[in-house]
Amino acid sequence: MTIGIGAIRCLLPGDRVEVTDLPDMRRLGDQEKEFVARSGVRTVGVFDGKAPADLAAQACRELLADAPTAPDQMILIGPRAPEVLIGSDACHVQYESGLPHTFPFTLDGLGCAGSSAAWSLARDLLVADPSRESILITYASRPTGVDRIRFPVTVIGDGAFAMTLVRGGRPVLRAHRMEADGRFHGLFRVDYKNTPVSEWREECRNNDQYAFDLAMQSRSRLGRLVDQVLADAGVSKADVTTTLMQNVTASAYTFYERSLGLPIHPVCREHLADLGHLGAMDVVLNLDRVLASGELRRGDLVLVLSNSPVAAWTVTLWEI
């Protein structure tokens, strides 16, 4: 029995804000403003006053509104900042989603790579226990504090998704690989213990390490993972119909297209420009929109790449 996607629900704001109108712009120096101008992000979507757990729960309710049975387990991809310390965001989302018999837990610490790691774990959970039929994955993107501009990384937008992996679902998860490098674990940080929320600022410990060392690591790691995933599935780059990745900056697409020899689907650039970076939601939204477009046929192969500055890298091959 194959395992694949049952359904996807993406929740996006109706309101868009021009990046140049964001309050953080007033605090930026010339170098930061130049970064924003070249990022490829024109607008971001904003959910005013909504917490990540509430958005994730809404996406789950909408996804499961007509589902005949509740999922067996729920994987919440950890938000950028938890709602409370000691409490449980996963149980919060379970309760607000109306899933009293679905066991929830959080997958955390992998940044943008969280969704890809989650669907790999969901597949393993279904393989491990034949009595399980469905695993729910959910996540919501909101900025850590008040700022949306993450120099030198990206510009944050709001959104949420819920998706299920089920037996017999499509696209089928054909192959998956992932790696992490703990040396980068503290490259980015927020001093939340000594400052109020209104003053939370994300700090990059070393811009050069991010721009050069991590970039070179990402190029070599993703290149190796792509080769391994394709070998696992017994196919080549020529067999891949579409390649998707997360939406961080416009220059990232050129960098990976050249280094991997794979064209990145235009929907990634479109979502980056319109919505900004949605964290672990990016690749789910991009995959959902390509599936809905009708441009793919049964049997086509879709390669999904993701990486994060913690640092983690994932590659997944889906068969339509």
Side-chain angles (χ1 to χ4, degrees):
M1 175 68 71
T2 59
I3 292 172
I5 295 174
I8 300 175
R9 170 61 178 151
C10 292
L11 186 66
L12 294 167
D15 296 331
R16 301 285 189 274
V17 177
E18 296 284 339
V19 172
T20 52
D21 292 335
L22 291 173
D24 350 357
M25 284 292 292
R26 295 191 293 268
R27 294 190 293 270
L28 300 184
D30 291 341
Q31 185 181 12
E32 289 87 350
K33 288 179 180 177
E34 182 181 357
F35 160 76
V36 173
R38 293 187 291 102
S39 68
V41 184
R42 295 194 305 268
T43 61
V44 292
V46 176
F47 279 123
D48 283 331
K50 291 192 175 182
D54 295 327
L55 292 172
Q58 181 180 342
C60 291
R61 291 194 301 270
E62 293 180 6
L63 176 78
L64 301 171
D66 300 319
T69 59
D72 299 288
Q73 293 186 307
M74 180 187 78
I75 303 173
L76 173 68
I77 300 164
R80 293 185 178 92
E83 286 298 295
V84 294
L85 297 177
I86 305 301
S88 171
D89 284 347
C91 288
H92 182 174
V93 175
Q94 181 227 35
Y95 175 75
E96 294 295 341
S97 300
L99 298 171
H101 303 298
T102 297
F103 185 80
F105 62 94
T106 299
L107 187 155
D108 203 3
L110 297 176
C112 312
S115 53
S116 302
W119 61 45
S120 174
L121 177 58
R123 179 191 61 177
D124 291 347
L125 289 170
L126 291 170
V127 170
D129 187 344
S131 70
R132 299 185 183 120
E133 295 293 334
S134 173
I135 308 295
L136 174 66
I137 303 169
T138 188
Y139 168 79
S141 171
R142 289 277 285 160
T144 305
V146 296
D147 290 351
R148 293 183 177 273
I149 297 170
R150 294 180 59 199
F151 175 79
V153 185
T154 189
V155 183
I156 299 296
D158 294 349
F161 82 84
M163 65 182 293
T164 52
L165 256 69
V166 300
R167 301 182 188 280
R170 299 199 82 92
V172 174
L173 202 166
R174 281 283 302 274
H176 175 87
R177 293 263 186 157
M178 54 189 175
E179 292 183 2
D181 188 338
R183 290 178 300 163
F184 297 90
H185 71 94
L187 183 56
F188 291 88
R189 66 189 295 271
V190 174
D191 185 13
Y192 77 93
K193 288 187 176 181
N194 299 310
T195 55
V197 175
S198 61
E199 297 178 14
W200 282 7
R201 299 288 182 269
E202 182 174 311
E203 302 170 359
C204 180
R205 184 182 62 196
N206 188 318
N207 286 352
D208 289 340
Q209 187 182 23
Y210 171 76
F212 298 105
D213 188 13
L214 182 58
M216 293 304 101
Q217 281 287 328
S218 294
R219 181 173 66 179
S220 62
R221 299 257 189 164
L222 283 176
R224 182 169 64 253
L225 289 173
V226 166
D227 291 342
Q228 291 172 341
V229 162
L230 296 178
D232 291 343
V235 299
S236 68
K237 288 183 180 179
D239 298 312
V240 175
T241 307
T242 297
T243 302
L244 302 170
M245 63 179 297
Q246 85 269 26
N247 314 326
V248 181
T249 60
S251 60
Y253 302 127
T254 303
F255 177 80
Y256 287 111
E257 283 178 336
R258 291 175 177 172
S259 61
L260 300 176
L262 292 164
I264 306 301
H265 194 286
V267 74
C268 301
R269 289 179 175 84
E270 294 167 10
H271 287 155
L272 174 68
D274 189 38
L275 300 164
H277 175 53
L278 305 178
M281 180 176 175
D282 279 342
V283 290
V284 177
L285 175 64
N286 294 341
L287 179 60
D288 183 49
R289 292 299 165 84
V290 169
L291 293 175
S293 71
E295 65 187 78
L296 298 175
R297 299 179 180 179
R298 193 176 182 92
D300 283 351
L301 299 177
V302 178
L303 197 64
V304 179
L305 320 175
S306 66
N307 65 324
S308 68
V310 285
W313 301 269
T314 73
V315 175
T316 309
L317 186 68
W318 296 95
E319 180 180 332
I320 305 301

